[in-house]
Amino acid sequence: FTNVLNKRSWVASATAFNVCYHDAGVFGVQGSAEPAKTSELVDLLTAEMIKLTDGITSDEVERAKKQTKTGILFNLEQRNVICDDIGRQILTFGKRLPTSQFLDGIDKVSAADLRRVAGEMIKTPVSFGAVGAVNNISYDRLSSKFR
């Protein structure tokens, strides 16, 4: 979301998140802006997600892989994160996997992999939640962009 935050001063925050389960997962985006810009923010975040299906470059993927691996290694220096990680892995995999296995998996991800997964993801039904001044945000308008 460097493209979002660096080019639009009115965007207060924009982040992506992923939650993995044994048999399913959730990928989402979250953003905040002043009330007059909420509709524009939804359009912007939607466009960024759709852009993942064909606009992601190898350089962006390499930067994201380095950032992800760094984040994992830094976070695993905190005891509460380690405990959370152990619990999630046991629930997902039935055991704790070595950190090196995750880092190796990240290294294997390519731009083509991300484009393929993004293409599959945007074909699934959209879940949407909003808080605050949301009168100008339409679920129908949002979900029609992903069909």
Side-chain angles (χ1 to χ4, degrees), residues 2 26 33 42 52 76 92 134 136 143 145-146:
T2 304
V26 175
V42 169
L52 290 174
L76 289 176
T92 303
V134 296
N136 57 353
S143 63
K145 296 175 186 238
F146 290 97

Side-chain angles (χ1 to χ4, degrees), residues 7-8 40 47 59 111 120-122 127-128 131 134 138 141:
K7 295 182 180 179
R8 292 161 185 90
E40 190 174 344
D59 287 344
E120 293 171 11
M121 179 186 64
I122 66 168
S127 297
F128 177 74
V131 176
V134 296
S138 162
R141 188 169 137 257

Side-chain angles (χ1 to χ4, degrees), residues 101-142:
Q101 188 169 341
F102 289 102
L103 300 179
D104 291 343
I106 291 166
D107 283 334
K108 293 176 184 173
V109 173
S110 69
D113 294 329
L114 294 176
R115 287 189 293 267
R116 179 183 48 78
V117 170
E120 293 171 11
M121 179 186 64
I122 66 168
K123 293 177 187 172
T124 63
V126 173
S127 297
F128 177 74
V131 176
V134 296
N135 329 10
N136 57 353
I137 301 172
S138 162
Y139 175 81
D140 292 334
R141 188 169 137 257
L142 169 65

Side-chain angles (χ1 to χ4, degrees), residues 53-147:
T53 64
D54 66 4
I56 192 165
T57 67
S58 295
D59 287 344
E60 289 172 314
V61 173
E62 290 306 312
R63 184 176 66 239
K65 289 185 332 187
K66 288 176 185 173
Q67 185 177 17
T68 300
K69 292 190 308 185
T70 300
I72 288 170
L73 294 173
F74 277 134
N75 282 331
L76 289 176
E77 292 182 6
Q78 302 173 41
R79 286 190 182 140
N80 62 329
V81 175
I82 293 170
C83 291
D84 183 64
D85 183 57
I86 291 169
R88 287 179 190 270
Q89 287 190 41
I90 289 172
L91 288 172
T92 303
F93 306 112
K95 62 181 180 178
R96 184 164 190 220
L97 303 174
T99 303
S100 61
Q101 188 169 341
F102 289 102
L103 300 179
D104 291 343
I106 291 166
D107 283 334
K108 293 176 184 173
V109 173
S110 69
D113 294 329
L114 294 176
R115 287 189 293 267
R116 179 183 48 78
V117 170
E120 293 171 11
M121 179 186 64
I122 66 168
K123 293 177 187 172
T124 63
V126 173
S127 297
F128 177 74
V131 176
V134 296
N135 329 10
N136 57 353
I137 301 172
S138 162
Y139 175 81
D140 292 334
R141 188 169 137 257
L142 169 65
S143 63
S144 70
K145 296 175 186 238
F146 290 97
R147 294 183 188 143

